[in-house]
Amino acid sequence: GENVEQHPSTLSVQEGDSAVIKCTYSDSASNYFPWYKQELGKGPQLIIDIRSNVGEKKDQRIAVTLNKTAKHFSLHITETQPEDSAVYFCAASLGGSYIPTFGRGTSLIVHP
Amino acid sequence: NAGVTQTPKFRILKIGQSMTLQCAQDMNHNYMYWYRQDPGMGLKLIYYSVGAGITDKGEVPNGYNVSRSTTEDFPLRLELAAPSQTSVYFCASSYSFRHDSNQPQHFGDGTRLSIL
């Protein structure tokens, strides 16, 4: 089955810096890659996703890149703010399976 | 649109007791899922359902049961609660409109369960 590795497990940055979280996946047939943000005491919420026919996608300060050849995808957050502090999860899924495989999460801490 | 609603938000059980965690969604999603999240760990899939009347086991189904009698509701049943089932439980739903197009999951805010 699919295996998703996520790094780092903890990331500490100063406000205004950029943050990058990286994930690798094992199954080359995976074609959908969502990123979720989980704030304390809440459920994960989708922040951005990318499909395998696209190499990069941006939404304001957030971007995701996908390298299908290397089987890795990354979340980029620019101009970080304290409210970006949360746990971020990447996931990968195969077309038609609807059962995503999640990474173990990255705890992002943005210091004011 | 309330999204995915989970009840209760918190619960303390004694070893050996049983309970049902409720999950309801109002988005007409066909797929529903139950996950558990242990401290510092990711999400582990317990059970999932692809539609009313259809359920299947995930990665960690032992000690749990589910049913899906309607599109909206997907309750998770714990029989004979054990300390190892202390966790945060999340219900999620998603919609598929064609076979090969995955859609994001929508999560509830979780049920925090302690078994003492």
Side-chain angles (χ1 to χ4, degrees), chain A residues 32 36 38 41-44 46 51 89 93-94 96 98-100 102 104, chain B residues 31 33 35 37 41 48 90 96 98-99 102-105 107-109 112:
Chain A
Y32 177 62
Y36 294 87
Q38 185 179 25
K42 298 287 188 181
L46 179 77
R51 300 184 188 276
F89 291 98
S93 61
L94 295 146
Y98 304 103
I99 309 298
F102 285 87
R104 292 184 63 169
Chain B
Y31 282 74
Y33 315 78
Y35 293 92
Q37 184 178 39
M41 303 293 285
Y48 67 98
F90 289 101
S96 65
R98 63 173 188 258
H99 179 67
N102 290 338
Q103 297 297 313
Q105 292 173 307
F107 286 84
D109 280 338
R112 284 144 188 84

PDB file of all heavy atoms in Angstrom, chain A residues 32 36 38 41-44 46 51 89 93-94 96 98-100 102 104, chain B residues 31 33 35 37 41 48 90 96 98-99 102-105 107-109 112:
ATOM      1  N   TYR A  32      -3.620  12.477  -6.039  1.00  0.00           N
ATOM      2  CA  TYR A  32      -4.279  13.584  -5.337  1.00  0.00           C
ATOM      3  C   TYR A  32      -3.564  13.796  -4.010  1.00  0.00           C
ATOM      4  O   TYR A  32      -3.355  12.851  -3.244  1.00  0.00           O
ATOM      5  CB  TYR A  32      -5.760  13.260  -5.106  1.00  0.00           C
ATOM      6  CG  TYR A  32      -6.494  14.329  -4.333  1.00  0.00           C
ATOM      7  CD1 TYR A  32      -6.620  15.622  -4.837  1.00  0.00           C
ATOM      8  CD2 TYR A  32      -7.054  14.059  -3.096  1.00  0.00           C
ATOM      9  CE1 TYR A  32      -7.280  16.607  -4.135  1.00  0.00           C
ATOM     10  CE2 TYR A  32      -7.719  15.038  -2.389  1.00  0.00           C
ATOM     11  CZ  TYR A  32      -7.842  16.299  -2.912  1.00  0.00           C
ATOM     12  OH  TYR A  32      -8.500  17.277  -2.220  1.00  0.00           O
ATOM     13  N   TYR A  36      -3.651  19.523   5.087  1.00  0.00           N
ATOM     14  CA  TYR A  36      -4.616  19.916   6.108  1.00  0.00           C
ATOM     15  C   TYR A  36      -3.904  20.645   7.239  1.00  0.00           C
ATOM     16  O   TYR A  36      -2.773  20.317   7.590  1.00  0.00           O
ATOM     17  CB  TYR A  36      -5.328  18.688   6.682  1.00  0.00           C
ATOM     18  CG  TYR A  36      -6.198  17.958   5.693  1.00  0.00           C
ATOM     19  CD1 TYR A  36      -5.673  16.965   4.876  1.00  0.00           C
ATOM     20  CD2 TYR A  36      -7.545  18.274   5.571  1.00  0.00           C
ATOM     21  CE1 TYR A  36      -6.465  16.297   3.963  1.00  0.00           C
ATOM     22  CE2 TYR A  36      -8.355  17.607   4.659  1.00  0.00           C
ATOM     23  CZ  TYR A  36      -7.799  16.616   3.865  1.00  0.00           C
ATOM     24  OH  TYR A  36      -8.604  15.960   2.953  1.00  0.00           O
ATOM     25  N   GLN A  38      -4.396  21.605  11.269  1.00  0.00           N
ATOM     26  CA  GLN A  38      -5.158  21.271  12.462  1.00  0.00           C
ATOM     27  C   GLN A  38      -4.778  22.207  13.600  1.00  0.00           C
ATOM     28  O   GLN A  38      -3.668  22.133  14.132  1.00  0.00           O
ATOM     29  CB  GLN A  38      -4.928  19.816  12.882  1.00  0.00           C
ATOM     30  CG  GLN A  38      -5.802  19.395  14.053  1.00  0.00           C
ATOM     31  CD  GLN A  38      -5.592  17.957  14.458  1.00  0.00           C
ATOM     32  OE1 GLN A  38      -4.544  17.364  14.225  1.00  0.00           O
ATOM     33  NE2 GLN A  38      -6.604  17.365  15.082  1.00  0.00           N
ATOM     34  N   GLY A  41      -7.397  21.648  19.411  1.00  0.00           N
ATOM     35  CA  GLY A  41      -8.766  21.367  19.787  1.00  0.00           C
ATOM     36  C   GLY A  41      -9.746  21.295  18.632  1.00  0.00           C
ATOM     37  O   GLY A  41     -10.965  21.210  18.847  1.00  0.00           O
ATOM     38  N   LYS A  42      -9.234  21.317  17.408  1.00  0.00           N
ATOM     39  CA  LYS A  42     -10.099  21.289  16.230  1.00  0.00           C
ATOM     40  C   LYS A  42      -9.764  20.099  15.337  1.00  0.00           C
ATOM     41  O   LYS A  42      -8.726  19.451  15.498  1.00  0.00           O
ATOM     42  CB  LYS A  42      -9.926  22.574  15.413  1.00  0.00           C
ATOM     43  CG  LYS A  42     -10.306  23.844  16.152  1.00  0.00           C
ATOM     44  CD  LYS A  42     -11.800  23.965  16.308  1.00  0.00           C
ATOM     45  CE  LYS A  42     -12.202  25.313  16.876  1.00  0.00           C
ATOM     46  NZ  LYS A  42     -13.682  25.419  17.039  1.00  0.00           N
ATOM     47  N   GLY A  43     -10.624  19.825  14.379  1.00  0.00           N
ATOM     48  CA  GLY A  43     -10.333  18.814  13.385  1.00  0.00           C
ATOM     49  C   GLY A  43      -9.487  19.392  12.261  1.00  0.00           C
ATOM     50  O   GLY A  43      -9.430  20.612  12.084  1.00  0.00           O
ATOM     51  N   PRO A  44      -8.816  18.546  11.489  1.00  0.00           N
ATOM     52  CA  PRO A  44      -8.039  19.032  10.338  1.00  0.00           C
ATOM     53  C   PRO A  44      -8.944  19.724   9.327  1.00  0.00           C
ATOM     54  O   PRO A  44     -10.078  19.298   9.110  1.00  0.00           O
ATOM     55  CB  PRO A  44      -7.443  17.740   9.763  1.00  0.00           C
ATOM     56  CG  PRO A  44      -7.477  16.745  10.880  1.00  0.00           C
ATOM     57  CD  PRO A  44      -8.694  17.085  11.675  1.00  0.00           C
ATOM     58  N   LEU A  46      -8.846  21.392   5.308  1.00  0.00           N
ATOM     59  CA  LEU A  46      -8.112  21.504   4.055  1.00  0.00           C
ATOM     60  C   LEU A  46      -7.632  22.940   3.850  1.00  0.00           C
ATOM     61  O   LEU A  46      -8.403  23.887   3.991  1.00  0.00           O
ATOM     62  CB  LEU A  46      -8.993  21.100   2.884  1.00  0.00           C
ATOM     63  CG  LEU A  46      -8.332  21.192   1.509  1.00  0.00           C
ATOM     64  CD1 LEU A  46      -7.401  19.996   1.303  1.00  0.00           C
ATOM     65  CD2 LEU A  46      -9.374  21.265   0.403  1.00  0.00           C
ATOM     66  N   ARG A  51      -3.333  18.143  -7.746  1.00  0.00           N
ATOM     67  CA  ARG A  51      -3.520  16.887  -8.473  1.00  0.00           C
ATOM     68  C   ARG A  51      -2.307  16.628  -9.344  1.00  0.00           C
ATOM     69  O   ARG A  51      -1.536  17.543  -9.637  1.00  0.00           O
ATOM     70  CB  ARG A  51      -4.809  16.940  -9.292  1.00  0.00           C
ATOM     71  CG  ARG A  51      -6.025  17.152  -8.406  1.00  0.00           C
ATOM     72  CD  ARG A  51      -7.339  17.110  -9.129  1.00  0.00           C
ATOM     73  NE  ARG A  51      -8.410  17.520  -8.228  1.00  0.00           N
ATOM     74  CZ  ARG A  51      -9.024  16.704  -7.366  1.00  0.00           C
ATOM     75  NH1 ARG A  51      -8.675  15.428  -7.324  1.00  0.00           N
ATOM     76  NH2 ARG A  51      -9.964  17.140  -6.573  1.00  0.00           N
ATOM     77  N   PHE A  89      -0.771  18.368   8.113  1.00  0.00           N
ATOM     78  CA  PHE A  89      -0.716  16.997   7.610  1.00  0.00           C
ATOM     79  C   PHE A  89      -0.732  17.002   6.090  1.00  0.00           C
ATOM     80  O   PHE A  89      -1.537  17.703   5.476  1.00  0.00           O
ATOM     81  CB  PHE A  89      -1.934  16.186   8.084  1.00  0.00           C
ATOM     82  CG  PHE A  89      -1.951  15.889   9.549  1.00  0.00           C
ATOM     83  CD1 PHE A  89      -2.693  16.670  10.423  1.00  0.00           C
ATOM     84  CD2 PHE A  89      -1.251  14.809  10.049  1.00  0.00           C
ATOM     85  CE1 PHE A  89      -2.719  16.390  11.788  1.00  0.00           C
ATOM     86  CE2 PHE A  89      -1.274  14.517  11.415  1.00  0.00           C
ATOM     87  CZ  PHE A  89      -2.007  15.314  12.273  1.00  0.00           C
ATOM     88  N   SER A  93      -3.476  10.045  -2.183  1.00  0.00           N
ATOM     89  CA  SER A  93      -4.468   9.014  -2.474  1.00  0.00           C
ATOM     90  C   SER A  93      -4.477   8.671  -3.950  1.00  0.00           C
ATOM     91  O   SER A  93      -4.136   9.485  -4.810  1.00  0.00           O
ATOM     92  CB  SER A  93      -5.868   9.439  -2.016  1.00  0.00           C
ATOM     93  OG  SER A  93      -6.283  10.590  -2.673  1.00  0.00           O
ATOM     94  N   LEU A  94      -4.892   7.442  -4.203  1.00  0.00           N
ATOM     95  CA  LEU A  94      -5.003   6.933  -5.567  1.00  0.00           C
ATOM     96  C   LEU A  94      -6.370   7.281  -6.121  1.00  0.00           C
ATOM     97  O   LEU A  94      -7.361   7.290  -5.391  1.00  0.00           O
ATOM     98  CB  LEU A  94      -4.855   5.412  -5.565  1.00  0.00           C
ATOM     99  CG  LEU A  94      -3.493   4.887  -5.130  1.00  0.00           C
ATOM    100  CD1 LEU A  94      -3.639   3.571  -4.392  1.00  0.00           C
ATOM    101  CD2 LEU A  94      -2.623   4.692  -6.348  1.00  0.00           C
ATOM    102  N   GLY A  96      -9.860   7.016  -7.272  1.00  0.00           N
ATOM    103  CA  GLY A  96     -10.881   6.012  -7.073  1.00  0.00           C
ATOM    104  C   GLY A  96     -10.827   5.290  -5.756  1.00  0.00           C
ATOM    105  O   GLY A  96     -11.767   4.599  -5.390  1.00  0.00           O
ATOM    106  N   TYR A  98     -10.283   6.778  -2.591  1.00  0.00           N
ATOM    107  CA  TYR A  98     -10.918   7.621  -1.585  1.00  0.00           C
ATOM    108  C   TYR A  98     -10.450   7.331  -0.174  1.00  0.00           C
ATOM    109  O   TYR A  98     -11.081   7.770   0.787  1.00  0.00           O
ATOM    110  CB  TYR A  98     -12.451   7.519  -1.662  1.00  0.00           C
ATOM    111  CG  TYR A  98     -12.932   7.875  -3.037  1.00  0.00           C
ATOM    112  CD1 TYR A  98     -13.317   6.896  -3.932  1.00  0.00           C
ATOM    113  CD2 TYR A  98     -12.934   9.203  -3.449  1.00  0.00           C
ATOM    114  CE1 TYR A  98     -13.712   7.231  -5.207  1.00  0.00           C
ATOM    115  CE2 TYR A  98     -13.331   9.537  -4.728  1.00  0.00           C
ATOM    116  CZ  TYR A  98     -13.724   8.549  -5.603  1.00  0.00           C
ATOM    117  OH  TYR A  98     -14.114   8.875  -6.856  1.00  0.00           O
ATOM    118  N   ILE A  99      -9.405   6.570  -0.016  1.00  0.00           N
ATOM    119  CA  ILE A  99      -8.825   6.314   1.296  1.00  0.00           C
ATOM    120  C   ILE A  99      -7.431   6.914   1.294  1.00  0.00           C
ATOM    121  O   ILE A  99      -6.472   6.280   0.869  1.00  0.00           O
ATOM    122  CB  ILE A  99      -8.755   4.811   1.606  1.00  0.00           C
ATOM    123  CG1 ILE A  99     -10.098   4.141   1.384  1.00  0.00           C
ATOM    124  CG2 ILE A  99      -8.245   4.596   3.033  1.00  0.00           C
ATOM    125  CD1 ILE A  99     -11.203   4.666   2.275  1.00  0.00           C
ATOM    126  N   PRO A 100      -7.297   8.153   1.737  1.00  0.00           N
ATOM    127  CA  PRO A 100      -5.980   8.787   1.702  1.00  0.00           C
ATOM    128  C   PRO A 100      -5.052   8.202   2.750  1.00  0.00           C
ATOM    129  O   PRO A 100      -5.505   7.739   3.794  1.00  0.00           O
ATOM    130  CB  PRO A 100      -6.297  10.255   2.006  1.00  0.00           C
ATOM    131  CG  PRO A 100      -7.573  10.218   2.770  1.00  0.00           C
ATOM    132  CD  PRO A 100      -8.334   9.040   2.259  1.00  0.00           C
ATOM    133  N   PHE A 102      -2.118   9.377   5.267  1.00  0.00           N
ATOM    134  CA  PHE A 102      -1.645  10.621   5.865  1.00  0.00           C
ATOM    135  C   PHE A 102      -0.202  10.502   6.316  1.00  0.00           C
ATOM    136  O   PHE A 102       0.253   9.431   6.741  1.00  0.00           O
ATOM    137  CB  PHE A 102      -2.506  10.982   7.081  1.00  0.00           C
ATOM    138  CG  PHE A 102      -3.857  11.521   6.740  1.00  0.00           C
ATOM    139  CD1 PHE A 102      -4.925  10.673   6.530  1.00  0.00           C
ATOM    140  CD2 PHE A 102      -4.063  12.892   6.628  1.00  0.00           C
ATOM    141  CE1 PHE A 102      -6.178  11.168   6.204  1.00  0.00           C
ATOM    142  CE2 PHE A 102      -5.311  13.400   6.313  1.00  0.00           C
ATOM    143  CZ  PHE A 102      -6.372  12.537   6.096  1.00  0.00           C
ATOM    144  N   ARG A 104       2.610  11.854   9.215  1.00  0.00           N
ATOM    145  CA  ARG A 104       2.450  11.877  10.676  1.00  0.00           C
ATOM    146  C   ARG A 104       2.311  13.283  11.239  1.00  0.00           C
ATOM    147  O   ARG A 104       2.119  13.457  12.439  1.00  0.00           O
ATOM    148  CB  ARG A 104       3.598  11.131  11.340  1.00  0.00           C
ATOM    149  CG  ARG A 104       3.549   9.650  11.049  1.00  0.00           C
ATOM    150  CD  ARG A 104       4.621   8.874  11.760  1.00  0.00           C
ATOM    151  NE  ARG A 104       4.468   8.966  13.215  1.00  0.00           N
ATOM    152  CZ  ARG A 104       5.135   8.216  14.070  1.00  0.00           C
ATOM    153  NH1 ARG A 104       6.004   7.326  13.624  1.00  0.00           N
ATOM    154  NH2 ARG A 104       4.973   8.349  15.368  1.00  0.00           N
TER     155      ARG A 104
ATOM    156  N   TYR B  31     -19.061   9.350   1.064  1.00  0.00           N
ATOM    157  CA  TYR B  31     -18.014   8.685   1.829  1.00  0.00           C
ATOM    158  C   TYR B  31     -17.940   9.255   3.243  1.00  0.00           C
ATOM    159  O   TYR B  31     -17.986  10.474   3.432  1.00  0.00           O
ATOM    160  CB  TYR B  31     -16.650   8.874   1.154  1.00  0.00           C
ATOM    161  CG  TYR B  31     -16.437   7.984  -0.034  1.00  0.00           C
ATOM    162  CD1 TYR B  31     -17.070   8.232  -1.239  1.00  0.00           C
ATOM    163  CD2 TYR B  31     -15.594   6.890   0.058  1.00  0.00           C
ATOM    164  CE1 TYR B  31     -16.872   7.402  -2.330  1.00  0.00           C
ATOM    165  CE2 TYR B  31     -15.383   6.049  -1.034  1.00  0.00           C
ATOM    166  CZ  TYR B  31     -16.027   6.316  -2.221  1.00  0.00           C
ATOM    167  OH  TYR B  31     -15.823   5.486  -3.291  1.00  0.00           O
ATOM    168  N   TYR B  33     -15.818   8.483   7.208  1.00  0.00           N
ATOM    169  CA  TYR B  33     -14.650   7.833   7.788  1.00  0.00           C
ATOM    170  C   TYR B  33     -14.618   8.075   9.294  1.00  0.00           C
ATOM    171  O   TYR B  33     -15.064   9.121   9.765  1.00  0.00           O
ATOM    172  CB  TYR B  33     -13.357   8.429   7.210  1.00  0.00           C
ATOM    173  CG  TYR B  33     -13.325   8.634   5.718  1.00  0.00           C
ATOM    174  CD1 TYR B  33     -13.968   9.720   5.133  1.00  0.00           C
ATOM    175  CD2 TYR B  33     -12.600   7.775   4.888  1.00  0.00           C
ATOM    176  CE1 TYR B  33     -13.917   9.931   3.765  1.00  0.00           C
ATOM    177  CE2 TYR B  33     -12.541   7.982   3.516  1.00  0.00           C
ATOM    178  CZ  TYR B  33     -13.203   9.060   2.968  1.00  0.00           C
ATOM    179  OH  TYR B  33     -13.144   9.267   1.605  1.00  0.00           O
ATOM    180  N   TYR B  35     -11.525   8.142  12.246  1.00  0.00           N
ATOM    181  CA  TYR B  35     -10.100   8.093  12.553  1.00  0.00           C
ATOM    182  C   TYR B  35      -9.910   8.225  14.063  1.00  0.00           C
ATOM    183  O   TYR B  35     -10.714   8.834  14.747  1.00  0.00           O
ATOM    184  CB  TYR B  35      -9.351   9.257  11.905  1.00  0.00           C
ATOM    185  CG  TYR B  35      -9.281   9.236  10.404  1.00  0.00           C
ATOM    186  CD1 TYR B  35     -10.246   9.875   9.628  1.00  0.00           C
ATOM    187  CD2 TYR B  35      -8.225   8.602   9.743  1.00  0.00           C
ATOM    188  CE1 TYR B  35     -10.170   9.872   8.248  1.00  0.00           C
ATOM    189  CE2 TYR B  35      -8.136   8.595   8.358  1.00  0.00           C
ATOM    190  CZ  TYR B  35      -9.115   9.241   7.620  1.00  0.00           C
ATOM    191  OH  TYR B  35      -9.033   9.241   6.249  1.00  0.00           O
ATOM    192  N   GLN B  37      -6.756   9.664  16.699  1.00  0.00           N
ATOM    193  CA  GLN B  37      -5.495  10.407  16.729  1.00  0.00           C
ATOM    194  C   GLN B  37      -4.934  10.352  18.136  1.00  0.00           C
ATOM    195  O   GLN B  37      -5.502  10.914  19.060  1.00  0.00           O
ATOM    196  CB  GLN B  37      -5.713  11.858  16.298  1.00  0.00           C
ATOM    197  CG  GLN B  37      -4.415  12.661  16.216  1.00  0.00           C
ATOM    198  CD  GLN B  37      -4.649  14.079  15.742  1.00  0.00           C
ATOM    199  OE1 GLN B  37      -5.627  14.729  16.103  1.00  0.00           O
ATOM    200  NE2 GLN B  37      -3.740  14.588  14.918  1.00  0.00           N
ATOM    201  N   MET B  41       0.848  11.595  17.191  1.00  0.00           N
ATOM    202  CA  MET B  41       0.736  10.651  16.084  1.00  0.00           C
ATOM    203  C   MET B  41      -0.191  11.214  15.024  1.00  0.00           C
ATOM    204  O   MET B  41      -0.929  12.160  15.240  1.00  0.00           O
ATOM    205  CB  MET B  41       0.190   9.310  16.594  1.00  0.00           C
ATOM    206  CG  MET B  41       1.004   8.687  17.702  1.00  0.00           C
ATOM    207  SD  MET B  41       2.629   8.179  17.163  1.00  0.00           S
ATOM    208  CE  MET B  41       2.228   6.716  16.233  1.00  0.00           C
ATOM    209  N   TYR B  48     -14.508   2.865   7.472  1.00  0.00           N
ATOM    210  CA  TYR B  48     -15.014   3.812   6.508  1.00  0.00           C
ATOM    211  C   TYR B  48     -16.242   3.241   5.815  1.00  0.00           C
ATOM    212  O   TYR B  48     -16.535   2.041   5.916  1.00  0.00           O
ATOM    213  CB  TYR B  48     -13.946   4.216   5.484  1.00  0.00           C
ATOM    214  CG  TYR B  48     -13.499   3.110   4.554  1.00  0.00           C
ATOM    215  CD1 TYR B  48     -14.022   2.992   3.275  1.00  0.00           C
ATOM    216  CD2 TYR B  48     -12.516   2.212   4.955  1.00  0.00           C
ATOM    217  CE1 TYR B  48     -13.597   1.994   2.419  1.00  0.00           C
ATOM    218  CE2 TYR B  48     -12.085   1.199   4.111  1.00  0.00           C
ATOM    219  CZ  TYR B  48     -12.622   1.099   2.842  1.00  0.00           C
ATOM    220  OH  TYR B  48     -12.203   0.099   1.999  1.00  0.00           O
ATOM    221  N   PHE B  90     -11.974  11.341  15.296  1.00  0.00           N
ATOM    222  CA  PHE B  90     -12.462  12.268  14.283  1.00  0.00           C
ATOM    223  C   PHE B  90     -13.288  11.524  13.245  1.00  0.00           C
ATOM    224  O   PHE B  90     -12.895  10.463  12.758  1.00  0.00           O
ATOM    225  CB  PHE B  90     -11.289  12.964  13.580  1.00  0.00           C
ATOM    226  CG  PHE B  90     -10.574  13.959  14.440  1.00  0.00           C
ATOM    227  CD1 PHE B  90      -9.381  13.635  15.052  1.00  0.00           C
ATOM    228  CD2 PHE B  90     -11.105  15.227  14.644  1.00  0.00           C
ATOM    229  CE1 PHE B  90      -8.714  14.543  15.855  1.00  0.00           C
ATOM    230  CE2 PHE B  90     -10.450  16.148  15.446  1.00  0.00           C
ATOM    231  CZ  PHE B  90      -9.263  15.799  16.054  1.00  0.00           C
ATOM    232  N   SER B  96     -17.671  11.908  -3.867  1.00  0.00           N
ATOM    233  CA  SER B  96     -17.089  11.487  -5.135  1.00  0.00           C
ATOM    234  C   SER B  96     -18.134  11.685  -6.207  1.00  0.00           C
ATOM    235  O   SER B  96     -19.277  11.257  -6.061  1.00  0.00           O
ATOM    236  CB  SER B  96     -16.675  10.025  -5.077  1.00  0.00           C
ATOM    237  OG  SER B  96     -17.790   9.174  -4.925  1.00  0.00           O
ATOM    238  N   ARG B  98     -17.100  11.235  -9.643  1.00  0.00           N
ATOM    239  CA  ARG B  98     -16.734  10.273 -10.673  1.00  0.00           C
ATOM    240  C   ARG B  98     -15.615   9.410 -10.136  1.00  0.00           C
ATOM    241  O   ARG B  98     -14.903   9.804  -9.226  1.00  0.00           O
ATOM    242  CB  ARG B  98     -16.361  10.938 -11.995  1.00  0.00           C
ATOM    243  CG  ARG B  98     -15.163  11.831 -11.979  1.00  0.00           C
ATOM    244  CD  ARG B  98     -14.813  12.268 -13.402  1.00  0.00           C
ATOM    245  NE  ARG B  98     -13.550  12.971 -13.433  1.00  0.00           N
ATOM    246  CZ  ARG B  98     -13.447  14.287 -13.515  1.00  0.00           C
ATOM    247  NH1 ARG B  98     -14.521  15.023 -13.588  1.00  0.00           N
ATOM    248  NH2 ARG B  98     -12.262  14.856 -13.550  1.00  0.00           N
ATOM    249  N   HIS B  99     -15.474   8.247 -10.706  1.00  0.00           N
ATOM    250  CA  HIS B  99     -14.665   7.195 -10.107  1.00  0.00           C
ATOM    251  C   HIS B  99     -13.234   7.616  -9.824  1.00  0.00           C
ATOM    252  O   HIS B  99     -12.656   7.247  -8.820  1.00  0.00           O
ATOM    253  CB  HIS B  99     -14.680   5.961 -11.015  1.00  0.00           C
ATOM    254  CG  HIS B  99     -13.860   4.834 -10.479  1.00  0.00           C
ATOM    255  ND1 HIS B  99     -14.193   4.164  -9.330  1.00  0.00           N
ATOM    256  CD2 HIS B  99     -12.715   4.273 -10.924  1.00  0.00           C
ATOM    257  CE1 HIS B  99     -13.298   3.218  -9.103  1.00  0.00           C
ATOM    258  NE2 HIS B  99     -12.389   3.260 -10.046  1.00  0.00           N
ATOM    259  N   ASN B 102     -10.642  12.166  -6.773  1.00  0.00           N
ATOM    260  CA  ASN B 102     -10.705  12.298  -5.327  1.00  0.00           C
ATOM    261  C   ASN B 102     -11.053  13.717  -4.919  1.00  0.00           C
ATOM    262  O   ASN B 102     -10.684  14.686  -5.590  1.00  0.00           O
ATOM    263  CB  ASN B 102      -9.368  11.892  -4.708  1.00  0.00           C
ATOM    264  CG  ASN B 102      -9.127  10.397  -4.822  1.00  0.00           C
ATOM    265  OD1 ASN B 102     -10.052   9.629  -4.970  1.00  0.00           O
ATOM    266  ND2 ASN B 102      -7.884  10.008  -4.743  1.00  0.00           N
ATOM    267  N   GLN B 103     -11.737  13.836  -3.814  1.00  0.00           N
ATOM    268  CA  GLN B 103     -12.112  15.128  -3.255  1.00  0.00           C
ATOM    269  C   GLN B 103     -11.620  15.217  -1.816  1.00  0.00           C
ATOM    270  O   GLN B 103     -11.405  14.190  -1.171  1.00  0.00           O
ATOM    271  CB  GLN B 103     -13.634  15.296  -3.304  1.00  0.00           C
ATOM    272  CG  GLN B 103     -14.209  15.313  -4.708  1.00  0.00           C
ATOM    273  CD  GLN B 103     -13.695  16.495  -5.511  1.00  0.00           C
ATOM    274  OE1 GLN B 103     -13.677  17.624  -5.036  1.00  0.00           O
ATOM    275  NE2 GLN B 103     -13.245  16.219  -6.725  1.00  0.00           N
ATOM    276  N   PRO B 104     -11.434  16.427  -1.290  1.00  0.00           N
ATOM    277  CA  PRO B 104     -10.926  16.559   0.073  1.00  0.00           C
ATOM    278  C   PRO B 104     -11.917  16.057   1.112  1.00  0.00           C
ATOM    279  O   PRO B 104     -13.122  16.013   0.870  1.00  0.00           O
ATOM    280  CB  PRO B 104     -10.700  18.063   0.227  1.00  0.00           C
ATOM    281  CG  PRO B 104     -11.616  18.682  -0.762  1.00  0.00           C
ATOM    282  CD  PRO B 104     -11.655  17.735  -1.925  1.00  0.00           C
ATOM    283  N   GLN B 105     -11.390  15.684   2.252  1.00  0.00           N
ATOM    284  CA  GLN B 105     -12.222  15.276   3.373  1.00  0.00           C
ATOM    285  C   GLN B 105     -12.587  16.491   4.228  1.00  0.00           C
ATOM    286  O   GLN B 105     -11.805  17.430   4.378  1.00  0.00           O
ATOM    287  CB  GLN B 105     -11.491  14.245   4.229  1.00  0.00           C
ATOM    288  CG  GLN B 105     -11.290  12.917   3.525  1.00  0.00           C
ATOM    289  CD  GLN B 105     -10.411  11.986   4.331  1.00  0.00           C
ATOM    290  OE1 GLN B 105      -9.322  12.346   4.718  1.00  0.00           O
ATOM    291  NE2 GLN B 105     -10.886  10.783   4.587  1.00  0.00           N
ATOM    292  N   PHE B 107     -13.655  17.338   8.083  1.00  0.00           N
ATOM    293  CA  PHE B 107     -13.560  16.718   9.405  1.00  0.00           C
ATOM    294  C   PHE B 107     -14.451  17.428  10.412  1.00  0.00           C
ATOM    295  O   PHE B 107     -14.647  18.655  10.351  1.00  0.00           O
ATOM    296  CB  PHE B 107     -12.120  16.781   9.923  1.00  0.00           C
ATOM    297  CG  PHE B 107     -11.187  15.818   9.251  1.00  0.00           C
ATOM    298  CD1 PHE B 107     -10.590  16.136   8.045  1.00  0.00           C
ATOM    299  CD2 PHE B 107     -10.892  14.593   9.835  1.00  0.00           C
ATOM    300  CE1 PHE B 107      -9.719  15.252   7.418  1.00  0.00           C
ATOM    301  CE2 PHE B 107     -10.014  13.700   9.227  1.00  0.00           C
ATOM    302  CZ  PHE B 107      -9.440  14.030   8.010  1.00  0.00           C
ATOM    303  N   GLY B 108     -14.952  16.648  11.379  1.00  0.00           N
ATOM    304  CA  GLY B 108     -15.562  17.233  12.559  1.00  0.00           C
ATOM    305  C   GLY B 108     -14.490  17.677  13.538  1.00  0.00           C
ATOM    306  O   GLY B 108     -13.290  17.496  13.285  1.00  0.00           O
ATOM    307  N   ASP B 109     -14.906  18.232  14.661  1.00  0.00           N
ATOM    308  CA  ASP B 109     -13.959  18.744  15.649  1.00  0.00           C
ATOM    309  C   ASP B 109     -13.559  17.713  16.705  1.00  0.00           C
ATOM    310  O   ASP B 109     -12.849  18.037  17.654  1.00  0.00           O
ATOM    311  CB  ASP B 109     -14.519  19.993  16.325  1.00  0.00           C
ATOM    312  CG  ASP B 109     -14.344  21.229  15.454  1.00  0.00           C
ATOM    313  OD1 ASP B 109     -13.460  21.220  14.564  1.00  0.00           O
ATOM    314  OD2 ASP B 109     -15.103  22.199  15.647  1.00  0.00           O
ATOM    315  N   ARG B 112     -13.142  13.717  22.405  1.00  0.00           N
ATOM    316  CA  ARG B 112     -12.005  13.366  23.264  1.00  0.00           C
ATOM    317  C   ARG B 112     -12.475  12.360  24.295  1.00  0.00           C
ATOM    318  O   ARG B 112     -13.297  12.682  25.138  1.00  0.00           O
ATOM    319  CB  ARG B 112     -11.440  14.625  23.911  1.00  0.00           C
ATOM    320  CG  ARG B 112     -10.620  15.428  22.923  1.00  0.00           C
ATOM    321  CD  ARG B 112     -10.747  16.929  23.082  1.00  0.00           C
ATOM    322  NE  ARG B 112     -10.083  17.616  21.980  1.00  0.00           N
ATOM    323  CZ  ARG B 112     -10.649  17.849  20.787  1.00  0.00           C
ATOM    324  NH1 ARG B 112     -11.890  17.496  20.557  1.00  0.00           N
ATOM    325  NH2 ARG B 112      -9.961  18.451  19.846  1.00  0.00           N
TER     326      ARG B 112
END
